[in-house]
Amino acid sequence: MDASVERFTAIYRQHYPKVLGYALAHDARAAAEDVANETFLTAWRKLDQVPDDDPLPWLFGVARRHRLKQRDAGRRHATIAERARQMRTEHDTDTGEVVAEREAGLAAFAALAERDAEALVLSAWYGFSAGQAARVLGCSTATYFVRLHRARKRLARLLSTSDHASVPHPALEGQRG
């Protein structure tokens, strides 16, 4: 087998589930699969540009660009916040204090702008370093730290709000950066 094919196969096997998971956090299953597949098609075409040491941030950056391109093309797009709202309503039968805290957390997270939610998810969910997350977002590490700091402050403010249902979604009041 050709060395390029072996390298691509190894990257695909190791990272496809993570790239698909990233896409699923933003889109419905079919759209997410399209994004993941386009990401690996791009990786194959640009295999010489895929970093040897840690390809995952590069792959997430490509997936993010495909996702944004897909959204800009007018396809149906569910933001991270909308997906969190769906999770919240899918489990309305849960009871107890833990569930109440989970609901409050999901409501606060759902009220975040997508930009803030993505900055938080890259570090908290995927465990990316600031440099890796910055590569995904296509910005400098310093800019990512600023975005992360602002996102954490906004989330903390929303969590301290007693009635999350009355918190307007940032997309409705205009994006702030």
Side-chain angles (χ1 to χ4, degrees), residues 107-126:
F109 189 79
L112 286 173
E114 182 177 358
R115 180 179 180 150
D116 288 340
E118 189 165 31
L120 292 166
V121 165
L122 289 173
S123 65
W125 186 265
Y126 295 106

Side-chain angles (χ1 to χ4, degrees), residues 96-116:
E97 187 176 317
V98 172
V99 173
E101 289 177 7
R102 179 179 163 274
E103 293 291 317
L106 286 172
F109 189 79
L112 286 173
E114 182 177 358
R115 180 179 180 150
D116 288 340

Side-chain angles (χ1 to χ4, degrees), residues 61-113:
V62 171
R64 180 176 186 266
R65 286 187 291 282
H66 281 299
R67 181 177 59 79
L68 294 174
K69 186 168 50 172
Q70 187 180 71
R71 181 178 64 187
D72 290 344
R75 295 187 182 171
R76 185 173 177 277
H77 175 76
T79 65
I80 294 171
E82 289 166 346
R83 299 288 294 164
R85 267 194 215 100
Q86 288 173 357
M87 287 172 41
R88 192 174 101 217
T89 57
E90 288 172 2
H91 299 90
D92 283 340
T93 59
D94 292 339
T95 58
E97 187 176 317
V98 172
V99 173
E101 289 177 7
R102 179 179 163 274
E103 293 291 317
L106 286 172
F109 189 79
L112 286 173

Side-chain angles (χ1 to χ4, degrees), residues 14-30:
Q14 182 177 5
H15 298 295
Y16 183 85
K18 295 172 189 167
V19 172
L20 179 60
Y22 171 77
L24 284 168
H26 298 277
D27 291 305
R29 180 92 186 168

Side-chain angles (χ1 to χ4, degrees), residues 1 3-4 21 34 47-48 56 62 68 71 78 83 85 87 95 97 101 124 139-140 151 156-157 166 171:
M1 192 185 302
S4 312
D34 286 347
L47 192 57
D48 59 325
L56 193 58
V62 171
L68 294 174
R71 181 178 64 187
R83 299 288 294 164
R85 267 194 215 100
M87 287 172 41
T95 58
E97 187 176 317
E101 289 177 7
C139 64
S140 69
R157 187 171 49 246
S166 68

